[in-house]
C-alpha cells in the first residue's frame, strides 16, 4: 500500500497472523521521539517519564500476546509526538502541556502542523489496527495502558482500572471475575473514564461494531521490571480468559478469517 513504509516506522505488529480473535493494543508503548522533532525541547527525564509513554505497558502487552497467542498492535512513537488514543481534533493529541511539564515542541502548532502529524502517525496506526481487527471473526479488542501512582500531587489508590465506554459487557465480566485472579485494588473507569477522552480506540474500532472490548490501566509501580510485567501479563491473560468464558466466549474456538 502507498503508506506501507511509513506505517512500518509508526506501528509494530506482533503475531499478526495469530489465530486468536483477540487483538491487543498498546497506543503508548514507546517514548521514542523522531530526530526531526529535536526532543520536543524536553530534557531527558521528561522524555523518559510517564508523560511521554506508559511505562511497563508494552512488556505486559507482549506477555499477554504470547500467553494468549494474540495479535498486538503498538505505536512506535511517543504520545507527545502524537497520542494515538486521541482523534486529530483533540487538543491533547499533541499536548502543549502534560501534567507538570510544558512541551515546547508542541507549542504554537498550526492547523497544518497538526494535520501533518495526524497524517504521519494517527492514520497509519489506526489503519493497521483496523486491518488486524477486520481480519478476524468476532474480534475482541483489549487495550493496555499504565498510569502514574501520583498525579499532580495526588496519590491514587486504584491499582488496576477496568475501563469501558458505552459497551460495558467485557468490563463487567472482568470486574465480576476479579476476585478469582487478584487481590489488587480494582476499580471501574479509574483513574480515568470515558469523560476524559481515553476510550477513543474502543469507540472507533469496537463499540460501533458490537465487538467485545475493554481498556486496562495498570499502576506503573506494579510493573517496573520484566519479571513483574510478565507476572501481570499472566494474571491479566488468565483473567481475560475467565471473563470471556462468563460471556460464553472461548478463545480456543476463535480464528482468523480465511
Amino acid at each position: 500500500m502507498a503508506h506501507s513504509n511509513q506505517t512500518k516506522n509508526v506501528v509494530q505488529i506482533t503475531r499478526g497472523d495469530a489465530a486468536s480473535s483477540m487483538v491487543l493494543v498498546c497506543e503508548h508503548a514507546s517514548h521514542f521521539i523522531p530526530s526531526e522533532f529535536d526532543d520536543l525541547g524536553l530534557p531527558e527525564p521528561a522524555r523518559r517519564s510517564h508523560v511521554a509513554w506508559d511505562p511497563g505497558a508494552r512488556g505486559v502487552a507482549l506477555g499477554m500476546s504470547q500467553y494468549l497467542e494474540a495479535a498486538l498492535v503498538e505505536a512506535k512513537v511517543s504520545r507527545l509526538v502524537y497520542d494515538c488514543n486521541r482523534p486529530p481534533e483533540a487538543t491533547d493529541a499533541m499536548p502543549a502541556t502534560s501534567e507538570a511539564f510544558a512541551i515546547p515542541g508542541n507549542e504554537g502548532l498550526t492547523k497544518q502542523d497538526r494535520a501533518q502529524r495526524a497524517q504521519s502517525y494517527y492514520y497509519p496506526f489506526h489503519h493497521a489496527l483496523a486491518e488486524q481487527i477486520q481480519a478476524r471473526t468476532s474480534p475482541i479488542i483489549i487495550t493496555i495502558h499504565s498510569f502514574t501512582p501520583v498525579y499532580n500531587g495526588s496519590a491514587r489508590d486504584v491499582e488496576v482500572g477496568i475501563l469501558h465506554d458505552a459497551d460495558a459487557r467485557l468490563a463487567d465480566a472482568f470486574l465480576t471475575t476479579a476476585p478469582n485472579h487478584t487481590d489488587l485494588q480494582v476499580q471501574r473507569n479509574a483513574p480515568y473514564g470515558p469523560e476524559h477522552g481515553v476510550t477513543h480506540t474502543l469507540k472507533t474500532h469496537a463499540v460501533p461494531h458490537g465487538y467485545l472490548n475493554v481498556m486496562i490501566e495498570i499502576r506503573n509501580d506494579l510493573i517496573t521490571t520484566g519479571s513483574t510485567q510478565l507476572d501481570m501479563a499472566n494474571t491479566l491473560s488468565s483473567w481475560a480468559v475467565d471473563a470471556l468464558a462468563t460471556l460464553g466466549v472461548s478463545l480456543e474456538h476463535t480464528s482468523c478469517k480465511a
Side-chain angles (χ1 to χ4, degrees):
M1 303 186 73
H3 55 262
S4 60
N5 289 335
Q6 183 183 35
T7 300
K8 183 171 62 175
N9 297 322
V10 173
V11 58
Q12 174 75 39
I13 298 175
T14 302
R15 294 185 177 82
D17 59 352
S20 172
S21 279
M22 183 176 289
V23 178
L24 299 165
V25 189
C26 194
E27 301 100 319
H28 306 151
S30 175
H31 55 66
F32 174 69
I33 299 174
S35 59
E36 67 193 85
F37 296 105
D38 195 23
D39 295 331
L40 293 173
L42 294 169
E44 185 173 4
R47 300 196 309 269
R48 299 272 178 170
S49 77
H50 72 91
V51 303
W53 67 321
D54 282 355
R58 180 175 188 262
V60 173
L62 283 168
M64 292 180 70
S65 174
Q66 180 173 3
Y67 185 110
L68 296 166
E69 297 182 356
L72 167 62
V73 181
E74 60 183 278
K76 294 178 69 175
V77 296
S78 170
R79 64 179 172 194
L80 296 179
V81 174
Y82 193 99
D83 186 336
C84 285
N85 194 29
R86 299 292 190 279
E89 64 272 16
T91 302
D92 53 356
M94 295 151 268
T97 60
S98 184
E99 196 181 6
F101 295 95
I103 318 298
N106 286 347
E107 292 175 358
L109 293 178
T110 66
K111 185 176 181 180
Q112 184 176 357
D113 292 334
R114 294 177 64 85
Q116 181 57 52
R117 292 241 199 131
Q119 193 65 36
S120 296
Y121 301 104
Y122 174 83
Y123 291 109
F125 176 84
H126 282 277
H127 179 82
L129 175 54
E131 284 188 333
Q132 286 295 317
I133 293 169
Q134 291 163 10
R136 290 167 164 79
T137 301
S138 302
I140 302 155
I141 295 92
I142 299 182
T143 68
I144 306 298
H145 294 258
S146 73
F147 63 94
T148 183
V150 179
Y151 184 75
N152 279 333
S154 298
R156 289 158 155 172
D157 293 331
V158 59
E159 293 173 304
V160 176
I162 304 298
L163 282 62
H164 62 85
D165 203 274
D167 181 354
R169 290 174 297 166
L170 187 51
D172 287 347
F174 263 88
L175 291 161
T176 298
T177 55
N180 300 336
H181 299 278
T182 183
D183 294 325
L184 295 173
Q185 176 64 244
V186 179
Q187 295 181 23
R188 181 191 302 270
N189 283 336
Y192 310 106
E195 68 273 20
H196 301 109
V198 300
T199 54
H200 173 67
T201 294
L202 303 184
K203 288 170 64 179
T204 300
H205 296 280
V207 175
H209 309 289
Y211 301 149
L212 289 170
N213 67 92
V214 71
M215 176 177 177
I216 300 176
E217 283 271 9
I218 308 154
R219 209 172 69 189
N220 66 30
D221 60 326
L222 303 174
I223 49 173
T224 58
T225 67
S227 176
T228 55
Q229 290 163 21
L230 183 58
D231 287 346
M232 183 63 72
N234 290 340
T235 295
L236 291 174
S237 296
S238 60
W239 188 356
V241 171
D242 191 13
L244 287 165
T246 70
L247 297 173
V249 177
S250 172
L251 288 178
E252 289 78 14
H253 297 109
T254 59
S255 63
C256 287
K257 295 176 182 175

